[in-house]
């Protein structure tokens, strides 16, 4: 295990629990770290309450602000806020870059500490009911090293006990709160358990045996103490339902995180089974979309189908392009899930692509940002046109219109896309022509594109409709048999192959062939 940490006089237990989840996961699951790992809790605490717009500009207008001049270190927080910050890739970074020892004097941090110095990316969040699904919690602790948990801890030690642990003969600290009338005020990490831990070991005897081994953040001394490691009864009545599992990957996993959901609060999108986000490839000359992320914090075991459409021709219709990828599956727990595409999708710079998500479980809904405000916090969200869409009543509805009708309280849908720089690109096809060469045949020709290995030919029934690939050729002309009595539209694009991945150029303009 990595060493325990001391949050000191500040209300930052939530940040210590979240960073503990990162450290344990990078050791146990990602296996890129060892027990010497030490990540920055101060960086997470600061940027949770001092949001920075992401490098691609997708989280513009989203923020979480502290009211009444409170300090971000004494504001408190939770693992939900922490997960939303980390899913934006605002962290994590090494402790030596933003040391917690500087907390008393750190009122501002440079924006570069938000995105430019990260060492890991949060990709999956699992929220498991610890009271109903104990076996699943244990399984994920074995996989990821720890679970985060909110609970009530009494500073006066009314519920703190001690015992001799039979397995080792050590003196250990125990904790059991027998009342449910208190509110959660602390967060810890669960790192183990003992189903046979005696009920007699607790100051207030619980209903049965069994306890979680918890790592606290009240000391930097690794010992059997309520401040470091202690045993928490299974029957504690002030434990929150949610056990949190964070699944991290190294920060070199993807180059770009296309996202709009920078808000701290989300709500369930009700009554909508199909929704979408449209993104514009902004960074590299050619990018490879390799994975997408969907957030369902209220629903588990949801069958889904995700489709990626590229080269959109109508920014009011997420399907008005080329169907480039399709992947289906079923989520496990409630939370956020990164889903790899079977093949990387090539998107040239400046083109638009859409991630369309269809859920196949009645009552399930993706997360959507929403704005909240009270005496201590204000969470703001922003949704621009041509970003997020709902499909209902047989047509697409722009979420920006929904947000307007709700007074700006509704934000974007929590769908992300992860892409890499392809490292190479290819030019667009030019001089496309099409003629009907026979009663039931069309001949298409186009100019040669430098470096092309071949060309893909696409067809649609309308100029701005969904284009489907009908052929590929190494020639600059192609004959197509057709019996259509209506106008048919064609586009062509060049491609080349690099390290087994197909890199595609921009499409030609469309040409129509009429009957």
């Amino acid at each position: 295990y990595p060493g325990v940490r001391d949050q000191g006089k500040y209300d930052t237990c939530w940040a210590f629990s979240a960073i503990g989840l990162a450290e344990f996961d990078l050791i146990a699951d990602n296996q890129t770290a060892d027990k010497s790992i030490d990540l920055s809790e101060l960086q997470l605490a600061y940027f949770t309450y001092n949001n920075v717009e992401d490098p691609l500009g997708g989280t513009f207008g989203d923020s979480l602000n502290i009211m009444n001049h409170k300090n971000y270190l004494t504001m408190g927080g939770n693992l939900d806020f922490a997960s939303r910050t980390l899913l934006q890739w605002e962290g994590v970074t090494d402790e030596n870059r933003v040391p917690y020892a500087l907390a008393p004097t750190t009122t501002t941090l440079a924006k570069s500490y938000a995105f430019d110095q990260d060492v890991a990316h949060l990709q999956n969040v699992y929220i498991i009911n610890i009271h109903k699904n104990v076996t699943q919690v244990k399984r994920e602790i074995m996989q990821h090293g720890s679970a985060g948990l909110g609970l009530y801890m009494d500073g006066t030690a009314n519920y703190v006990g001690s015992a001799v642990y039979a397995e080792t003969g050590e003196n250990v600290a125990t904790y059991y709160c027998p009342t449910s009338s208190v509110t959660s005020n602390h967060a810890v990490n669960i790192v183990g358990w003992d189903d046979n831990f005696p009920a007699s070991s607790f100051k207030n005897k619980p209903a049965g045996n069994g306890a979680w081994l918890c790592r606290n953040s009240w000391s930097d001394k690794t010992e059997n103490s309520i401040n470091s490691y202690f045993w928490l009864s299974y029957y504690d009545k002030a434990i929150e339902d949610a056990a949190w599992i964070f699944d991290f990957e190294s920060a070199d996993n993807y180059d770009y995180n296309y996202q709009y959901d920078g808000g701290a609060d989300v709500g369930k999108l009700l009554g909508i089974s199909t929704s979408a986000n449209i993104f514009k490839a902004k960074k590299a000359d050619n990018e490879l979309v390799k994975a997408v992320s969907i957030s369902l914090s209220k629903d588990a075991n949801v069958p889904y189908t995700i489709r990626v459409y590229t080269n959109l021709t109508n920014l009011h219709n997420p399907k008005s392009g080329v169907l480039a990828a399709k992947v289906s599956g079923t989520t496990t727990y409630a939370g956020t899930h990164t889903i790899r595409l079977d093949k990387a999708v090539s998107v040239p710079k400046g083109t638009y692509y859409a991630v369309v998500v269809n859920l196949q479980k009645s009552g399930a809904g993706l997360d959507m940002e929403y704005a909240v405000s009270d005496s201590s916090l204000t969470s703001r969200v922003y949704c621009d046109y041509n970003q997020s869409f709902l499909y209902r009543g047989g047509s697409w509805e722009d979420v920006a219109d929904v947000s307007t009708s709700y007074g700006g309280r509704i934000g974007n849908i929590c769908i992300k896309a992860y892409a890499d720089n392809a490292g190479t690109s290819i030019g667009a096809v030019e001089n496309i022509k099409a003629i009907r060469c026979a009663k039931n045949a069309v001949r298409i020709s186009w100019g040669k594109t430098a470096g092309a290995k071949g060309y893909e030919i696409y067809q649609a029934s309308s100029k701005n409709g969904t284009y489907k690939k009908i052929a590929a050729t190494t020639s600059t002309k192609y004959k197509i048999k057709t019996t259509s009595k209506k106008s048919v539209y064609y586009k062509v694009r060049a491609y080349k192959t690099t390290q087994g991945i197909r890199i595609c150029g921009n499409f030609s303009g469309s040409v129509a062939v009429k009957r």
Side-chain angles (χ1 to χ4, degrees), residues 13-14 17 77-81 127-134 137 147-153 175 177 179-180 182-188 190 212 232-244:
C13 59
W14 57 277
S17 178
N78 54 54
L79 291 171
D80 193 4
F81 282 3
I127 308 170
I128 311 170
N129 190 309
I130 196 169
H131 297 111
K132 296 180 180 180
N133 301 299
V134 174
V137 173
L149 186 70
L151 72 166
Y152 174 78
M153 292 202 72
Y175 185 89
C177 177
T179 177
S180 59
V182 292
T183 303
S184 174
N185 64 357
H186 191 50
V188 298
I190 302 174
W212 300 106
L232 173 69
S233 170
Y234 284 168
Y235 296 87
D236 188 287
K237 295 186 180 300
I239 294 175
E240 291 183 349
D241 286 338
W244 294 77

Side-chain angles (χ1 to χ4, degrees), residues 120 124 193 256 283 313 492:
N124 297 288
W193 63 88
Y256 313 121
K283 299 295 287 186
T313 58
V492 178

Side-chain angles (χ1 to χ4, degrees), residues 89-93 97 112-121 251:
W89 292 1
E90 286 193 78
V92 291
T93 193
R97 292 178 176 171
S112 62
Y113 287 106
F115 295 102
D116 298 341
Q117 302 186 44
D118 50 351
V119 298
H121 292 153

Side-chain angles (χ1 to χ4, degrees), residues 77-335:
N78 54 54
L79 291 171
D80 193 4
F81 282 3
S83 70
R84 293 294 158 189
T85 301
L86 292 169
L87 285 167
Q88 296 170 47
W89 292 1
E90 286 193 78
V92 291
T93 193
D94 287 321
E95 174 71 9
N96 58 16
R97 292 178 176 171
V98 188
Y100 195 74
L102 297 181
T105 59
T106 303
T107 56
T108 60
L109 281 174
K111 292 182 179 180
S112 62
Y113 287 106
F115 295 102
D116 298 341
Q117 302 186 44
D118 50 351
V119 298
H121 292 153
L122 180 58
Q123 294 296 148
N124 297 288
V125 176
Y126 306 138
I127 308 170
I128 311 170
N129 190 309
I130 196 169
H131 297 111
K132 296 180 180 180
N133 301 299
V134 174
T135 299
Q136 288 89 330
V137 173
K138 292 176 179 177
R139 181 168 60 237
E140 296 307 323
I141 292 173
M142 291 291 290
Q143 177 71 30
H144 299 280
S146 72
L149 186 70
L151 72 166
Y152 174 78
M153 292 202 72
D154 185 356
T156 62
N158 287 333
Y159 311 131
V160 178
S162 62
V164 175
Y165 187 46
E167 296 292 328
T168 63
E170 296 175 292
N171 289 319
V172 295
T174 62
Y175 185 89
Y176 166 63
C177 177
T179 177
S180 59
S181 61
V182 292
T183 303
S184 174
N185 64 357
H186 191 50
V188 298
N189 293 97
I190 302 174
V191 298
W193 63 88
D194 184 344
D195 292 339
N196 299 313
F197 196 94
S200 59
S201 298
F202 296 90
K203 185 174 183 179
N204 301 284
K205 187 176 179 180
N209 295 338
W212 300 106
L213 178 59
C214 295
R215 176 186 188 247
N216 209 346
S217 56
W218 289 347
S219 172
D220 59 2
K221 296 179 180 179
T222 301
E223 57 188 357
N224 293 314
S225 162
I226 195 65
N227 299 317
S228 298
Y229 281 95
F230 67 93
W231 290 91
L232 173 69
S233 170
Y234 284 168
Y235 296 87
D236 188 287
K237 295 186 180 300
I239 294 175
E240 291 183 349
D241 286 338
W244 294 77
I245 304 293
F246 286 2
D247 181 22
F248 285 81
E249 296 177 11
S250 298
D252 60 357
N253 59 347
Y254 306 110
D255 293 329
Y256 313 121
N257 181 352
Y258 283 91
Q259 59 183 333
Y260 298 125
D261 50 316
D265 289 287
V266 298
K268 181 175 175 177
L269 186 57
L270 298 173
I272 302 295
S273 60
T274 302
S275 53
N277 274 0
I278 290 178
F279 302 107
K280 180 181 180 180
K282 294 182 176 181
K283 299 295 287 186
D285 289 338
N286 199 290
E287 298 175 18
L288 297 171
V289 179
K290 292 186 173 181
V292 300
S293 169
I294 57 175
S295 183
L296 300 103
S297 62
K298 303 299 182 184
D299 296 301
N301 304 312
V302 180
Y304 61 82
T305 298
I306 297 170
R307 295 176 174 86
V308 178
Y309 293 84
T310 62
N311 300 88
L312 302 187
T313 58
N314 180 358
L315 296 185
H316 304 294
N317 180 359
K319 290 187 175 182
S320 65
V322 173
L323 177 58
K326 177 182 176 181
V327 60
S328 297
T330 301
T331 64
T332 51
Y333 310 109

